[in-house]
Amino acid sequence: MGYTNFPNGITSFGVPVLGGGNTPITGTVFFVDSATGNNQNTGTEASKAFATLDYAIGKCTADKGDTIYVMPNHAETITGAGGITADIAGINIIGLGTYNQRPRFLMDGGTSVTFVVSAADVTIRNIVMASGHLLVTTGFNVTGKGCWIDQVEFADNTTAENWGSPVKATGAANTADGLKVTDCRWVPLVATVNSLEFIEITDDIDGLVVTGNLIICEGTATPLVLQAGTKVMTNVFIAWNFLSHKMTAGALFLSNGGTGNSGIVAHNRFGHADVTTTHDWGAVTGLRLFDNLSTSVDNLSGVILPAADVNS
């Protein structure tokens, strides 16, 4: 495709297309391409790309802003826990291509296969994560601070090959602070009824951002975010997410039992199957709530949940 690595960014036949301008590339640029790549290559030009993402990660230098561009139509099958492990701080993993051209990672071989993000300040953008097994437990297992998962699609490879939870933060308190999950898509196949929450957090977290995600799921236990026990989320921003599932009761949007939460939850829309008048959106004490709409009916717009304040 004529891509070349230049200090001021990536050019295609001399025309800047990536990097430079408002998005400077400060570190080394690597390329990954399953079609022509080889892990014996230098990886620093598209024509000399590496074959696998995990190998490219291992060639990065921490905290230098290194960027890995994964070429259009790249395809990998990943097996085992930590089959890909982002353990180099401050790197960017950017998929090239749109829709069916996006890099596709088939997470296969069992329920424990994962993409682990253990280093701080890792960005992952514009890839497809496809589940290749019945109820793969986790897509991304995040234990490093400042992880940004952006424009990632979580797909079922085929019927009965689906995700449990696409994103999990499984570490101790505050190890995943600054986690951002933005503009992602999770639309499992219609037969998928056993999927769980979109994001699961096992301990305290600060600075969580969850915005612009689309989830249309047949799951009967599928809130947007589930946080364990009485753990707290502080300084969070959860907004403009669209969620449709088949939960009939319980915390329909956020599940959290902490009392020291802080932040804003605004402009979210969620549909469900709770046809009672309960509509338990989730008890998240301490958060400020603005214009969140809930509905259990296909042909009606949502009601404000919880109820709007009155001038008193």
Side-chain angles (χ1 to χ4, degrees):
M1 295 183 64
Y3 286 110
T4 307
N5 178 12
F6 286 97
N8 293 324
I10 307 300
T11 69
S12 178
F13 304 104
V15 179
V17 294
L18 292 166
N22 294 325
T23 56
I25 296 173
T26 60
T28 302
V29 172
F30 296 103
F31 294 88
V32 175
D33 188 352
S34 57
T36 61
N38 188 311
N39 287 344
Q40 302 305 310
N41 289 337
T42 61
T44 55
E45 298 179 37
S47 61
K48 299 177 181 178
F50 295 133
T52 60
L53 176 57
D54 195 66
Y55 187 85
I57 292 170
K59 292 298 182 181
C60 292
T61 301
D63 301 317
K64 298 296 184 182
D66 287 359
T67 296
I68 300 169
Y69 286 109
V70 189
M71 296 296 284
N73 298 306
H74 175 81
E76 282 191 56
T77 297
I78 309 300
T79 59
I84 301 175
T85 299
D87 53 0
I88 306 295
I91 65 172
N92 308 293
I93 299 166
I94 311 298
L96 302 180
T98 60
Y99 201 53
N100 288 331
Q101 301 282 316
R102 292 170 296 174
R104 184 180 179 92
F105 294 86
L106 178 61
M107 310 302 281
D108 205 357
T111 59
S112 62
V113 60
T114 52
F115 189 142
V116 171
V117 183
S118 57
D121 307 318
V122 172
T123 294
I124 302 162
R125 178 172 293 128
N126 194 45
I127 66 171
V128 176
M129 294 275 285
S131 174
H133 197 274
L134 175 63
L135 209 60
V136 173
T137 303
T138 309
F140 290 104
N141 183 6
V142 180
T143 58
K145 293 184 179 182
C147 176
W148 187 7
I149 299 168
D150 182 54
Q151 301 175 48
V152 172
E153 180 166 358
F154 299 93
D156 294 357
N157 187 51
T158 189
T159 302
E161 293 185 353
N162 62 299
W163 294 105
S165 297
V167 180
K168 289 189 178 184
T170 63
N174 301 111
T175 54
D177 285 356
L179 172 63
K180 294 197 296 186
V181 183
T182 60
D183 295 323
C184 292
R185 178 183 173 94
W186 184 32
V187 183
L189 298 174
V190 173
T192 300
V193 297
N194 49 1
S195 297
L196 302 175
E197 56 281 339
F198 179 55
I199 301 172
E200 180 182 350
I201 301 167
T202 61
D203 215 308
D204 299 339
I205 192 166
D206 181 71
L208 174 68
V209 174
V210 183
T211 60
N213 300 290
L214 172 66
I215 300 99
I216 302 175
C217 184
E218 295 292 302
T220 57
T222 312
L224 183 76
V225 179
L226 169 68
Q227 190 170 23
T230 59
K231 305 303 181 180
V232 298
M233 52 178 71
T234 53
N235 302 309
V236 302
F237 183 55
I238 300 173
W240 292 118
N241 298 287
F242 291 79
L243 169 65
S244 176
H245 55 58
K246 294 299 175 67
M247 291 181 68
T248 59
L252 300 170
F253 186 68
L254 298 178
S255 181
N256 165 278
T259 58
N261 303 297
S262 65
I264 290 175
V265 180
H267 309 303
N268 300 285
R269 278 71 174 121
F270 51 105
H272 48 83
D274 183 353
V275 296
T276 70
T277 58
T278 304
H279 282 221
D280 177 11
W281 86 284
V284 190
T285 304
L287 297 182
R288 294 292 187 176
L289 313 171
F290 305 99
D291 180 44
N292 298 288
L293 304 185
S294 163
T295 184
S296 60
V297 182
D298 291 343
N299 59 351
L300 294 177
S301 293
V303 297
I304 296 178
L305 197 67
D309 196 3
V310 295
N311 188 14
S312 60

